[in-house]
Short mmCIF file of all heavy atoms in Angstrom, two decimals:
data_model
loop_
_atom_site.label_atom_id
_atom_site.label_comp_id
_atom_site.label_asym_id
_atom_site.label_seq_id
_atom_site.Cartn_x
_atom_site.Cartn_y
_atom_site.Cartn_z
N MET A 849 114.08 2.72 -14.15
CA MET A 849 113.85 2.12 -15.50
C MET A 849 115.22 1.57 -16.09
O MET A 849 116.20 2.17 -15.85
CB MET A 849 113.44 3.18 -16.54
CG MET A 849 113.11 2.61 -17.84
SD MET A 849 112.59 3.90 -19.06
CE MET A 849 111.14 4.47 -18.30
N THR A 850 115.12 0.39 -16.58
CA THR A 850 116.28 -0.25 -17.10
C THR A 850 116.85 0.59 -18.24
O THR A 850 116.12 1.10 -19.05
CB THR A 850 116.06 -1.56 -17.54
OG1 THR A 850 115.12 -1.66 -18.53
CG2 THR A 850 115.55 -2.51 -16.38
N PRO A 851 118.19 0.52 -18.43
CA PRO A 851 118.80 1.27 -19.54
C PRO A 851 118.19 0.80 -20.91
O PRO A 851 118.16 1.53 -21.84
CB PRO A 851 120.24 0.99 -19.47
CG PRO A 851 120.52 0.85 -17.91
CD PRO A 851 119.25 0.09 -17.53
N ALA A 852 118.03 -0.48 -21.03
CA ALA A 852 117.57 -1.06 -22.29
C ALA A 852 116.16 -0.58 -22.63
O ALA A 852 115.82 -0.25 -23.78
CB ALA A 852 117.55 -2.68 -22.31
N LEU A 853 115.34 -0.55 -21.62
CA LEU A 853 113.96 -0.04 -21.80
C LEU A 853 113.97 1.51 -22.27
O LEU A 853 113.25 1.83 -23.13
CB LEU A 853 113.00 -0.33 -20.61
CG LEU A 853 111.60 0.21 -20.77
CD1 LEU A 853 110.92 -0.33 -21.96
CD2 LEU A 853 110.86 -0.11 -19.54
N ARG A 854 114.82 2.20 -21.46
CA ARG A 854 114.99 3.68 -21.77
C ARG A 854 115.39 3.86 -23.25
O ARG A 854 114.79 4.72 -23.94
CB ARG A 854 115.96 4.26 -20.83
CG ARG A 854 116.09 5.83 -21.06
CD ARG A 854 117.06 6.31 -20.01
NE ARG A 854 116.86 5.86 -18.66
CZ ARG A 854 115.89 6.30 -17.86
NH1 ARG A 854 115.05 7.20 -18.21
NH2 ARG A 854 115.81 5.86 -16.63
N GLU A 855 116.46 3.06 -23.64
CA GLU A 855 116.94 3.23 -25.00
C GLU A 855 115.77 2.83 -26.08
O GLU A 855 115.73 3.50 -27.11
CB GLU A 855 118.20 2.41 -25.16
CG GLU A 855 119.36 3.02 -24.41
CD GLU A 855 119.60 4.50 -24.59
OE1 GLU A 855 119.68 4.99 -25.78
OE2 GLU A 855 119.80 5.21 -23.58
N LYS A 856 115.09 1.76 -25.81
CA LYS A 856 114.05 1.43 -26.73
C LYS A 856 112.99 2.40 -26.80
O LYS A 856 112.46 2.82 -27.89
CB LYS A 856 113.41 0.18 -26.16
CG LYS A 856 112.15 -0.33 -26.99
CD LYS A 856 111.52 -1.63 -26.41
CE LYS A 856 110.22 -1.85 -27.23
NZ LYS A 856 109.56 -3.08 -26.67
N ALA A 857 112.56 3.05 -25.69
CA ALA A 857 111.62 4.08 -25.67
C ALA A 857 112.10 5.34 -26.38
O ALA A 857 111.30 6.01 -27.14
CB ALA A 857 111.14 4.48 -24.21
N ILE A 858 113.36 5.68 -26.26
CA ILE A 858 113.96 6.86 -27.03
C ILE A 858 113.77 6.56 -28.48
O ILE A 858 113.49 7.37 -29.33
CB ILE A 858 115.26 7.17 -26.50
CG1 ILE A 858 115.30 7.73 -25.08
CG2 ILE A 858 116.08 8.18 -27.47
CD1 ILE A 858 116.69 7.78 -24.48
N ALA A 859 114.12 5.39 -28.87
CA ALA A 859 114.19 4.92 -30.37
C ALA A 859 112.74 5.01 -30.87
O ALA A 859 112.49 5.51 -31.96
CB ALA A 859 114.74 3.59 -30.50
N VAL A 860 111.76 4.51 -30.08
CA VAL A 860 110.30 4.59 -30.42
C VAL A 860 109.98 6.11 -30.71
O VAL A 860 109.24 6.44 -31.66
CB VAL A 860 109.42 3.84 -29.61
CG1 VAL A 860 107.91 4.18 -29.88
CG2 VAL A 860 109.80 2.50 -29.71
N CYS A 861 110.24 6.87 -29.75
CA CYS A 861 109.83 8.32 -29.79
C CYS A 861 110.55 9.01 -31.09
O CYS A 861 109.76 9.74 -31.88
CB CYS A 861 110.34 9.03 -28.49
SG CYS A 861 109.38 8.76 -27.10
N THR A 862 111.70 8.71 -31.31
CA THR A 862 112.43 9.27 -32.49
C THR A 862 111.78 8.79 -33.73
O THR A 862 111.54 9.66 -34.67
CB THR A 862 113.92 8.82 -32.49
OG1 THR A 862 114.50 9.21 -31.21
CG2 THR A 862 114.73 9.24 -33.63
N ALA A 863 111.40 7.55 -33.81
CA ALA A 863 110.74 7.05 -35.08
C ALA A 863 109.40 7.59 -35.21
O ALA A 863 109.05 8.04 -36.36
CB ALA A 863 110.66 5.55 -34.95
N LYS A 864 108.62 7.72 -34.28
CA LYS A 864 107.27 8.40 -34.25
C LYS A 864 107.37 9.87 -34.66
O LYS A 864 106.56 10.27 -35.49
CB LYS A 864 106.54 8.19 -32.99
CG LYS A 864 106.14 6.81 -32.59
CD LYS A 864 105.06 6.27 -33.46
CE LYS A 864 104.68 4.92 -32.89
NZ LYS A 864 103.63 4.15 -33.58
N ILE A 865 108.29 10.55 -34.10
CA ILE A 865 108.48 12.00 -34.53
C ILE A 865 108.86 12.02 -35.99
O ILE A 865 108.26 12.94 -36.66
CB ILE A 865 109.53 12.60 -33.69
CG1 ILE A 865 108.97 12.70 -32.05
CG2 ILE A 865 109.93 14.04 -34.06
CD1 ILE A 865 110.11 12.95 -31.19
N ALA A 866 109.68 11.16 -36.43
CA ALA A 866 110.20 11.22 -37.85
C ALA A 866 109.04 10.95 -38.83
O ALA A 866 108.91 11.54 -39.84
CB ALA A 866 111.38 10.23 -38.07
N LEU A 867 108.22 9.89 -38.33
CA LEU A 867 107.10 9.61 -39.23
C LEU A 867 105.84 10.53 -39.20
O LEU A 867 105.34 10.80 -40.28
CB LEU A 867 106.56 8.13 -38.71
CG LEU A 867 105.49 7.44 -39.60
CD1 LEU A 867 106.02 7.26 -40.98
CD2 LEU A 867 105.00 6.32 -38.83
N LYS A 868 105.52 11.05 -38.04
CA LYS A 868 104.32 11.88 -37.87
C LYS A 868 104.50 13.30 -37.54
O LYS A 868 103.49 14.02 -37.31
CB LYS A 868 103.30 11.22 -36.94
CG LYS A 868 102.92 9.79 -37.30
CD LYS A 868 101.84 9.20 -36.46
CE LYS A 868 101.40 7.94 -37.06
NZ LYS A 868 100.23 7.31 -36.30
N GLY A 869 105.61 13.61 -37.28
CA GLY A 869 106.09 15.04 -36.88
C GLY A 869 106.03 15.23 -35.35
O GLY A 869 105.77 14.46 -34.56
N GLU A 870 106.46 16.53 -35.02
CA GLU A 870 106.74 16.81 -33.73
C GLU A 870 105.57 16.95 -32.82
O GLU A 870 105.61 16.96 -31.49
CB GLU A 870 107.64 18.12 -33.49
CG GLU A 870 109.03 17.92 -34.10
CD GLU A 870 109.97 18.93 -33.71
OE1 GLU A 870 109.64 19.84 -32.81
OE2 GLU A 870 111.03 18.92 -34.22
N GLY A 871 104.31 16.92 -33.32
CA GLY A 871 103.17 17.11 -32.53
C GLY A 871 102.59 15.73 -32.23
O GLY A 871 101.48 15.72 -31.51
N VAL A 872 103.19 14.61 -32.64
CA VAL A 872 102.61 13.28 -32.29
C VAL A 872 102.59 12.95 -30.81
O VAL A 872 103.48 13.31 -30.11
CB VAL A 872 103.35 12.23 -33.03
CG1 VAL A 872 104.73 11.99 -32.59
CG2 VAL A 872 102.59 10.93 -33.07
N GLY A 873 101.57 12.53 -30.32
CA GLY A 873 101.36 12.07 -28.95
C GLY A 873 101.48 10.58 -28.82
O GLY A 873 101.12 9.85 -29.75
N LEU A 874 101.92 10.13 -27.65
CA LEU A 874 102.09 8.75 -27.36
C LEU A 874 101.51 8.32 -26.00
O LEU A 874 101.45 9.27 -25.17
CB LEU A 874 103.58 8.36 -27.34
CG LEU A 874 104.47 8.56 -28.53
CD1 LEU A 874 105.83 8.16 -28.23
CD2 LEU A 874 103.95 7.79 -29.68
N SER A 875 101.07 7.12 -25.90
CA SER A 875 100.80 6.72 -24.52
C SER A 875 101.96 5.73 -24.19
O SER A 875 102.72 5.27 -25.14
CB SER A 875 99.52 5.88 -24.50
OG SER A 875 99.55 4.64 -25.07
N PHE A 876 102.00 5.21 -23.01
CA PHE A 876 103.15 4.27 -22.68
C PHE A 876 102.94 2.91 -23.39
O PHE A 876 103.90 2.17 -23.48
CB PHE A 876 103.29 4.11 -21.21
CG PHE A 876 102.10 3.36 -20.54
CD1 PHE A 876 101.97 1.90 -20.42
CD2 PHE A 876 101.13 4.22 -19.92
CE1 PHE A 876 100.94 1.36 -19.78
CE2 PHE A 876 100.05 3.54 -19.27
CZ PHE A 876 99.98 2.12 -19.14
N TYR A 877 101.69 2.65 -23.93
CA TYR A 877 101.56 1.39 -24.76
C TYR A 877 102.33 1.54 -26.05
O TYR A 877 102.52 0.37 -26.70
CB TYR A 877 100.11 1.22 -25.03
CG TYR A 877 99.27 0.77 -23.88
CD1 TYR A 877 98.36 1.82 -23.28
CD2 TYR A 877 99.36 -0.34 -23.17
CE1 TYR A 877 97.53 1.47 -22.18
CE2 TYR A 877 98.67 -0.74 -22.13
CZ TYR A 877 97.77 0.15 -21.45
OH TYR A 877 96.99 -0.03 -20.59
N ALA A 878 102.69 2.57 -26.52
CA ALA A 878 103.40 2.80 -27.88
C ALA A 878 104.66 2.03 -27.86
O ALA A 878 105.23 1.74 -28.98
CB ALA A 878 103.60 4.28 -28.09
N PHE A 879 105.20 1.69 -26.66
CA PHE A 879 106.46 1.08 -26.66
C PHE A 879 106.49 -0.46 -26.70
O PHE A 879 107.50 -1.14 -26.52
CB PHE A 879 107.25 1.54 -25.38
CG PHE A 879 107.35 3.04 -25.35
CD1 PHE A 879 106.63 3.64 -24.32
CD2 PHE A 879 108.12 3.78 -26.20
CE1 PHE A 879 106.65 5.11 -24.29
CE2 PHE A 879 108.14 5.16 -26.08
CZ PHE A 879 107.38 5.86 -25.14
N PHE A 880 105.30 -0.94 -26.81
CA PHE A 880 105.01 -2.41 -26.82
C PHE A 880 104.13 -2.85 -27.93
O PHE A 880 103.39 -2.18 -28.41
CB PHE A 880 104.49 -2.77 -25.50
CG PHE A 880 105.36 -2.40 -24.40
CD1 PHE A 880 105.13 -1.14 -23.70
CD2 PHE A 880 106.31 -3.12 -23.76
CE1 PHE A 880 105.80 -0.67 -22.65
CE2 PHE A 880 107.18 -2.77 -22.79
CZ PHE A 880 106.88 -1.49 -22.21
N ALA A 881 104.33 -4.15 -28.27
CA ALA A 881 103.47 -4.84 -29.26
C ALA A 881 102.04 -4.90 -28.78
O ALA A 881 101.75 -4.85 -27.52
CB ALA A 881 103.93 -6.12 -29.66
N ASN A 882 101.09 -5.10 -29.68
CA ASN A 882 99.66 -5.30 -29.20
C ASN A 882 99.54 -6.36 -28.38
O ASN A 882 98.78 -6.43 -27.31
CB ASN A 882 98.72 -5.31 -30.39
CG ASN A 882 98.52 -4.04 -31.07
OD1 ASN A 882 98.79 -2.98 -30.49
ND2 ASN A 882 98.09 -4.11 -32.33
N ARG A 883 100.25 -7.51 -28.62
CA ARG A 883 100.28 -8.67 -27.81
C ARG A 883 101.48 -8.63 -27.00
O ARG A 883 102.52 -8.88 -27.45
CB ARG A 883 100.28 -9.95 -28.60
CG ARG A 883 100.34 -11.16 -27.68
CD ARG A 883 100.10 -12.41 -28.39
NE ARG A 883 100.20 -13.50 -27.64
CZ ARG A 883 100.65 -14.70 -27.83
NH1 ARG A 883 101.06 -15.01 -28.99
NH2 ARG A 883 100.66 -15.64 -26.87
N ASN A 884 101.37 -8.14 -25.74
CA ASN A 884 102.54 -7.93 -24.95
C ASN A 884 103.13 -9.18 -24.24
O ASN A 884 102.55 -9.81 -23.42
CB ASN A 884 102.18 -6.91 -23.88
CG ASN A 884 103.42 -6.55 -23.05
OD1 ASN A 884 104.57 -6.66 -23.49
ND2 ASN A 884 103.21 -6.04 -21.76
N ASP A 885 104.35 -9.50 -24.78
CA ASP A 885 105.00 -10.77 -24.29
C ASP A 885 105.96 -10.37 -22.94
O ASP A 885 106.57 -11.32 -22.42
CB ASP A 885 105.84 -11.46 -25.27
CG ASP A 885 104.97 -11.88 -26.39
OD1 ASP A 885 103.86 -12.31 -26.17
OD2 ASP A 885 105.42 -11.92 -27.63
N THR A 886 106.02 -9.20 -22.71
CA THR A 886 106.84 -8.67 -21.53
C THR A 886 106.12 -7.88 -20.63
O THR A 886 106.29 -6.58 -20.47
CB THR A 886 108.07 -7.82 -22.16
OG1 THR A 886 107.54 -6.81 -22.94
CG2 THR A 886 109.04 -8.78 -22.99
N PRO A 887 105.24 -8.41 -19.79
CA PRO A 887 104.37 -7.64 -18.91
C PRO A 887 105.27 -6.93 -17.85
O PRO A 887 104.81 -5.85 -17.39
CB PRO A 887 103.52 -8.80 -18.27
CG PRO A 887 104.20 -10.02 -18.52
CD PRO A 887 104.92 -9.95 -19.73
N ASP A 888 106.32 -7.49 -17.40
CA ASP A 888 107.23 -6.80 -16.38
C ASP A 888 107.70 -5.47 -16.96
O ASP A 888 107.73 -4.43 -16.27
CB ASP A 888 108.35 -7.64 -15.93
CG ASP A 888 107.90 -8.89 -15.18
OD1 ASP A 888 106.72 -8.83 -14.59
OD2 ASP A 888 108.66 -9.90 -15.15
N LEU A 889 108.09 -5.48 -18.17
CA LEU A 889 108.52 -4.22 -18.89
C LEU A 889 107.44 -3.20 -19.04
O LEU A 889 107.59 -2.00 -18.71
CB LEU A 889 109.24 -4.51 -20.18
CG LEU A 889 110.58 -5.15 -20.17
CD1 LEU A 889 111.11 -5.41 -21.60
CD2 LEU A 889 111.61 -4.32 -19.29
N LEU A 890 106.28 -3.73 -19.35
CA LEU A 890 105.07 -2.87 -19.52
C LEU A 890 104.84 -2.17 -18.23
O LEU A 890 104.57 -1.04 -18.11
CB LEU A 890 103.94 -3.64 -20.00
CG LEU A 890 102.56 -2.92 -20.12
CD1 LEU A 890 102.66 -1.74 -21.14
CD2 LEU A 890 101.35 -3.90 -20.43
N MET A 891 104.80 -2.97 -17.13
CA MET A 891 104.53 -2.48 -15.80
C MET A 891 105.63 -1.38 -15.35
O MET A 891 105.36 -0.38 -14.70
CB MET A 891 104.46 -3.47 -14.66
CG MET A 891 103.20 -4.33 -15.03
SD MET A 891 101.62 -3.32 -14.96
CE MET A 891 101.72 -2.54 -13.38
N GLU A 892 106.92 -1.72 -15.76
CA GLU A 892 108.00 -0.69 -15.49
C GLU A 892 107.73 0.57 -16.15
O GLU A 892 107.90 1.70 -15.53
CB GLU A 892 109.32 -1.28 -15.99
CG GLU A 892 110.60 -0.50 -15.60
CD GLU A 892 111.78 -1.27 -15.99
OE1 GLU A 892 111.81 -2.48 -16.21
OE2 GLU A 892 112.82 -0.46 -16.14
N MET A 893 107.24 0.52 -17.49
CA MET A 893 106.94 1.79 -18.05
C MET A 893 105.78 2.48 -17.47
O MET A 893 105.75 3.71 -17.33
CB MET A 893 106.87 1.49 -19.70
CG MET A 893 106.58 2.72 -20.41
SD MET A 893 107.84 4.03 -20.33
CE MET A 893 109.10 3.39 -21.51
N ALA A 894 104.68 1.66 -17.22
CA ALA A 894 103.51 2.32 -16.79
C ALA A 894 103.81 2.92 -15.33
O ALA A 894 103.32 4.03 -14.96
CB ALA A 894 102.46 1.19 -16.52
N THR A 895 104.59 2.36 -14.57
CA THR A 895 104.94 2.88 -13.25
C THR A 895 105.79 4.25 -13.50
O THR A 895 105.51 5.28 -12.84
CB THR A 895 105.87 2.02 -12.41
OG1 THR A 895 105.14 0.75 -12.25
CG2 THR A 895 106.42 2.60 -11.11
N TRP A 896 106.71 4.30 -14.42
CA TRP A 896 107.42 5.51 -14.68
C TRP A 896 106.49 6.61 -15.13
O TRP A 896 106.59 7.77 -14.75
CB TRP A 896 108.56 5.20 -15.83
CG TRP A 896 109.22 6.32 -16.19
CD1 TRP A 896 110.55 6.77 -15.64
CD2 TRP A 896 109.16 7.29 -17.30
NE1 TRP A 896 110.91 7.82 -16.19
CE2 TRP A 896 110.18 8.28 -17.25
CE3 TRP A 896 108.08 7.43 -18.26
CZ2 TRP A 896 110.30 9.26 -18.10
CZ3 TRP A 896 108.19 8.44 -19.11
CH2 TRP A 896 109.26 9.36 -19.09
N TRP A 897 105.54 6.19 -16.06
CA TRP A 897 104.70 7.18 -16.69
C TRP A 897 103.62 7.64 -15.68
O TRP A 897 103.43 8.90 -15.61
CB TRP A 897 103.94 6.42 -17.82
CG TRP A 897 103.24 7.23 -18.83
CD1 TRP A 897 102.02 7.85 -18.68
CD2 TRP A 897 103.57 7.57 -20.24
NE1 TRP A 897 101.62 8.53 -19.75
CE2 TRP A 897 102.60 8.44 -20.72
CE3 TRP A 897 104.75 7.30 -20.92
CZ2 TRP A 897 102.68 8.94 -21.99
CZ3 TRP A 897 104.80 7.80 -22.25
CH2 TRP A 897 103.68 8.58 -22.69
N ILE A 898 102.99 6.69 -15.01
CA ILE A 898 101.86 7.12 -14.14
C ILE A 898 102.17 7.40 -12.72
O ILE A 898 101.87 8.49 -12.26
CB ILE A 898 100.83 5.89 -14.15
CG1 ILE A 898 100.24 5.75 -15.60
CG2 ILE A 898 99.69 6.15 -13.15
CD1 ILE A 898 99.54 4.36 -15.71
N LYS A 899 102.98 6.54 -12.07
CA LYS A 899 103.20 6.83 -10.70
C LYS A 899 104.40 7.90 -10.47
O LYS A 899 104.29 8.75 -9.60
CB LYS A 899 103.60 5.56 -9.98
CG LYS A 899 102.45 4.66 -9.73
CD LYS A 899 102.77 3.35 -9.04
CE LYS A 899 102.44 3.55 -7.65
NZ LYS A 899 102.70 2.24 -6.86
N THR A 900 105.51 7.70 -11.23
CA THR A 900 106.56 8.60 -11.09
C THR A 900 106.36 9.97 -11.61
O THR A 900 106.66 10.94 -10.92
CB THR A 900 107.96 7.99 -11.64
OG1 THR A 900 108.00 6.68 -11.18
CG2 THR A 900 109.00 8.86 -11.42
N HIS A 901 105.87 10.03 -12.80
CA HIS A 901 105.70 11.39 -13.44
C HIS A 901 104.29 11.91 -13.52
O HIS A 901 104.09 13.09 -13.95
CB HIS A 901 106.36 11.43 -14.75
CG HIS A 901 107.86 11.17 -14.76
ND1 HIS A 901 108.70 12.20 -14.27
CD2 HIS A 901 108.55 10.08 -15.05
CE1 HIS A 901 109.92 11.73 -14.25
NE2 HIS A 901 109.94 10.45 -14.71
N ARG A 902 103.30 11.17 -13.26
CA ARG A 902 101.82 11.43 -13.22
C ARG A 902 101.43 12.14 -14.55
O ARG A 902 100.85 13.21 -14.59
CB ARG A 902 101.52 12.43 -12.08
CG ARG A 902 101.76 11.74 -10.80
CD ARG A 902 101.23 12.60 -9.56
NE ARG A 902 101.65 11.96 -8.31
CZ ARG A 902 100.92 11.07 -7.66
NH1 ARG A 902 99.81 10.63 -8.25
NH2 ARG A 902 101.28 10.59 -6.54
N LEU A 903 101.81 11.48 -15.62
CA LEU A 903 101.56 12.10 -16.80
C LEU A 903 100.19 11.67 -17.39
O LEU A 903 99.64 10.69 -16.92
CB LEU A 903 102.64 11.43 -18.04
CG LEU A 903 104.05 11.76 -17.69
CD1 LEU A 903 104.88 10.87 -18.65
CD2 LEU A 903 104.34 13.25 -17.86
N ASP A 904 99.56 12.43 -18.32
CA ASP A 904 98.29 12.18 -18.98
C ASP A 904 98.45 11.01 -19.81
O ASP A 904 99.63 10.43 -20.08
CB ASP A 904 97.86 13.37 -19.75
CG ASP A 904 97.51 14.51 -19.00
OD1 ASP A 904 97.11 14.35 -17.73
OD2 ASP A 904 97.50 15.72 -19.50
N HIS A 905 97.27 10.47 -20.30
CA HIS A 905 97.36 9.30 -21.15
C HIS A 905 98.18 9.41 -22.40
O HIS A 905 98.97 8.68 -22.73
CB HIS A 905 95.98 8.84 -21.49
CG HIS A 905 95.86 7.55 -22.23
ND1 HIS A 905 96.14 6.32 -21.57
CD2 HIS A 905 95.70 7.36 -23.53
CE1 HIS A 905 96.04 5.28 -22.52
NE2 HIS A 905 95.76 5.89 -23.68
N PHE A 906 98.00 10.58 -23.04
CA PHE A 906 98.75 10.92 -24.23
C PHE A 906 99.63 12.10 -23.95
O PHE A 906 99.21 13.26 -23.47
CB PHE A 906 97.91 11.24 -25.50
CG PHE A 906 97.31 10.04 -26.12
CD1 PHE A 906 95.97 9.62 -25.73
CD2 PHE A 906 98.03 9.17 -26.97
CE1 PHE A 906 95.47 8.42 -26.33
CE2 PHE A 906 97.48 8.11 -27.50
CZ PHE A 906 96.28 7.69 -27.12
N VAL A 907 100.91 11.96 -24.36
CA VAL A 907 101.96 13.12 -24.20
C VAL A 907 102.76 13.10 -25.38
O VAL A 907 102.97 12.19 -26.03
CB VAL A 907 102.77 12.76 -22.94
CG1 VAL A 907 103.80 13.85 -22.80
CG2 VAL A 907 101.97 12.63 -21.68
N LYS A 908 103.12 14.36 -25.85
CA LYS A 908 103.96 14.52 -27.03
C LYS A 908 105.19 13.70 -26.89
O LYS A 908 105.83 13.72 -25.84
CB LYS A 908 104.29 15.93 -27.19
CG LYS A 908 103.18 16.89 -27.71
CD LYS A 908 103.57 18.25 -28.06
CE LYS A 908 102.37 18.98 -28.61
NZ LYS A 908 102.80 20.34 -29.04
N ALA A 909 105.55 12.95 -27.99
CA ALA A 909 106.68 12.16 -28.06
C ALA A 909 108.03 13.07 -27.75
O ALA A 909 108.95 12.55 -27.18
CB ALA A 909 106.85 11.51 -29.33
N THR A 910 107.98 14.27 -28.27
CA THR A 910 109.12 15.13 -27.99
C THR A 910 109.36 15.32 -26.49
O THR A 910 110.49 15.36 -25.98
CB THR A 910 109.03 16.47 -28.71
OG1 THR A 910 107.86 17.08 -28.32
CG2 THR A 910 109.10 16.26 -30.15
N THR A 911 108.30 15.51 -25.71
CA THR A 911 108.41 15.68 -24.27
C THR A 911 108.88 14.35 -23.64
O THR A 911 109.76 14.41 -22.78
CB THR A 911 107.04 16.05 -23.75
OG1 THR A 911 106.52 17.25 -24.34
CG2 THR A 911 107.00 16.15 -22.23
N ILE A 912 108.38 13.26 -23.98
CA ILE A 912 108.75 12.03 -23.43
C ILE A 912 110.33 11.66 -23.77
O ILE A 912 111.03 11.35 -22.82
CB ILE A 912 107.98 10.81 -23.98
CG1 ILE A 912 106.51 11.00 -23.57
CG2 ILE A 912 108.44 9.42 -23.46
CD1 ILE A 912 106.25 11.13 -22.01
N LYS A 913 110.66 11.94 -25.01
CA LYS A 913 112.05 11.78 -25.36
C LYS A 913 112.94 12.60 -24.55
O LYS A 913 113.93 12.15 -24.01
CB LYS A 913 112.20 12.05 -26.91
CG LYS A 913 113.58 11.70 -27.34
CD LYS A 913 113.67 11.99 -28.86
CE LYS A 913 115.07 11.84 -29.36
NZ LYS A 913 115.21 12.17 -30.78
N ALA A 914 112.60 13.87 -24.39
CA ALA A 914 113.40 14.75 -23.57
C ALA A 914 113.54 14.28 -22.08
O ALA A 914 114.67 14.31 -21.51
CB ALA A 914 112.96 16.18 -23.69
N MET A 915 112.43 13.84 -21.48
CA MET A 915 112.49 13.35 -20.22
C MET A 915 113.37 12.10 -20.07
O MET A 915 114.17 11.90 -19.06
CB MET A 915 111.09 12.95 -19.72
CG MET A 915 110.19 14.26 -19.55
SD MET A 915 108.42 13.69 -19.24
CE MET A 915 108.57 13.17 -17.65
N LEU A 916 113.27 11.23 -20.98
CA LEU A 916 114.01 10.03 -20.88
C LEU A 916 115.56 10.27 -21.11
O LEU A 916 116.31 9.78 -20.37
CB LEU A 916 113.59 9.07 -22.04
CG LEU A 916 112.24 8.42 -21.91
CD1 LEU A 916 111.76 7.85 -23.19
CD2 LEU A 916 112.29 7.43 -20.77
N ILE A 917 115.90 11.11 -22.01
CA ILE A 917 117.34 11.59 -22.13
C ILE A 917 117.85 12.31 -20.88
O ILE A 917 118.94 11.94 -20.46
CB ILE A 917 117.38 12.41 -23.44
CG1 ILE A 917 117.18 11.67 -24.74
CG2 ILE A 917 118.83 13.17 -23.50
CD1 ILE A 917 117.09 12.31 -25.98
N ALA A 918 117.07 13.15 -20.28
CA ALA A 918 117.46 13.86 -19.08
C ALA A 918 117.68 12.99 -17.92
O ALA A 918 118.54 13.26 -17.03
CB ALA A 918 116.38 14.88 -18.78
N GLU A 919 117.06 11.81 -17.96
CA GLU A 919 117.25 10.79 -16.84
C GLU A 919 118.27 9.74 -16.99
O GLU A 919 118.37 8.88 -16.24
CB GLU A 919 115.88 10.17 -16.59
CG GLU A 919 114.79 11.08 -16.00
CD GLU A 919 113.54 10.35 -15.67
OE1 GLU A 919 113.45 9.12 -15.87
OE2 GLU A 919 112.56 11.07 -15.36
N ARG A 920 118.99 9.88 -18.10
CA ARG A 920 120.01 8.87 -18.45
C ARG A 920 121.04 8.80 -17.33
O ARG A 920 121.41 9.62 -16.66
CB ARG A 920 120.72 9.15 -19.67
CG ARG A 920 120.04 8.69 -21.01
CD ARG A 920 120.86 8.85 -22.20
NE ARG A 920 120.18 8.14 -23.38
CZ ARG A 920 120.48 8.63 -24.53
NH1 ARG A 920 121.38 9.57 -24.89
NH2 ARG A 920 119.91 7.97 -25.53
#
């Protein structure tokens, strides 16, 4: 995963946690706009989420954030 995408995902997780609390769940779509103008980045995140880590569709944002930070 590119460093820029990792940092964007960490920022999104941080914002969602601040807004909705530590129990909030996310899918990898949470890191992109409804109209995705960056399909390569979407596929990069999907690969990390689905193929690399075999995560469920929704995972707690705190878990995702910790995983992303650990892989820096």
Side-chain angles (χ1 to χ4, degrees):
M849 180 183 301
T850 63
L853 181 55
R854 182 178 316 282
E855 294 308 314
K856 176 184 176 181
I858 290 170
V860 169
C861 287
T862 300
K864 294 285 186 180
I865 293 165
L867 185 66
K868 297 189 176 188
E870 293 196 8
V872 66
L874 301 176
S875 77
F876 65 87
Y877 292 110
F879 307 110
F880 302 93
N882 285 340
R883 180 173 178 212
N884 184 22
D885 295 331
T886 55
D888 291 337
L889 289 179
L890 177 65
M891 289 308 298
E892 186 178 341
M893 181 58 80
T895 299
W896 181 87
W897 193 285
I898 298 166
K899 289 182 97 176
T900 304
H901 294 288
R902 300 188 185 275
L903 298 172
D904 290 337
H905 186 74
F906 284 98
V907 178
K908 286 187 177 183
T910 53
T911 301
I912 297 301
K913 182 178 175 181
M915 291 172 71
L916 291 164
I917 290 170
E919 292 180 6
R920 275 186 175 159

